Amino acid sequence: MATPTATPTAEQLQAELQAVLNGPAAPPPAGVTPNFNDPPNLNRAVAAVLTLCILLPTVAVLLRLYTKKFLIQSWAYEDYENLLYIAIREFQSDD
């Protein structure tokens, strides 16, 4: 005959849940030391790539505008549009 087991209280269930949630999800693989305080990342590489992706097109557009204004001496609608785009992008907020 089966013996009746005591039902845990809400406090016991909450304490058990917190113990599971505060513990690790799984043990790390063999030979791996977990580093949660300062994990390796690629922040510097990403910042460098993003800087180049902004800087190179800006320089290209400015060279095009310089060439159109001072060498060819012929401005078109798209030249004003490019100038406006650069001005808006430079003063745009990063929020």
Side-chain angles (χ1 to χ4, degrees):
M1 200 172 202
T3 59
T5 58
T7 305
T9 64
E11 291 82 20
Q12 290 172 333
L13 289 174
Q14 185 67 25
E16 184 178 338
L17 176 65
Q18 286 303 320
V20 169
L21 291 176
N22 290 334
V32 175
T33 304
N35 182 4
F36 295 113
N37 295 329
D38 188 23
N41 56 43
L42 297 174
N43 287 349
R44 288 185 181 162
V46 170
V49 169
L50 289 177
T51 300
L52 287 176
C53 287
I54 292 172
L55 186 65
L56 291 178
T58 301
V59 169
V61 170
L62 290 176
L63 282 173
R64 179 186 189 277
L65 292 175
Y66 174 81
T67 301
K68 294 279 284 192
K69 176 71 176 170
F70 295 107
L71 300 180
I72 298 175
Q73 296 178 352
S74 166
W75 276 65
Y77 172 75
E78 65 267 9
D79 299 320
Y80 293 107
E81 195 173 57
N82 285 336
L83 194 59
L84 180 64
Y85 168 73
I86 288 176
I88 289 172
R89 192 187 71 208
E90 291 301 322
F91 294 110
Q92 188 177 16
S93 175
D94 290 337
D95 294 338

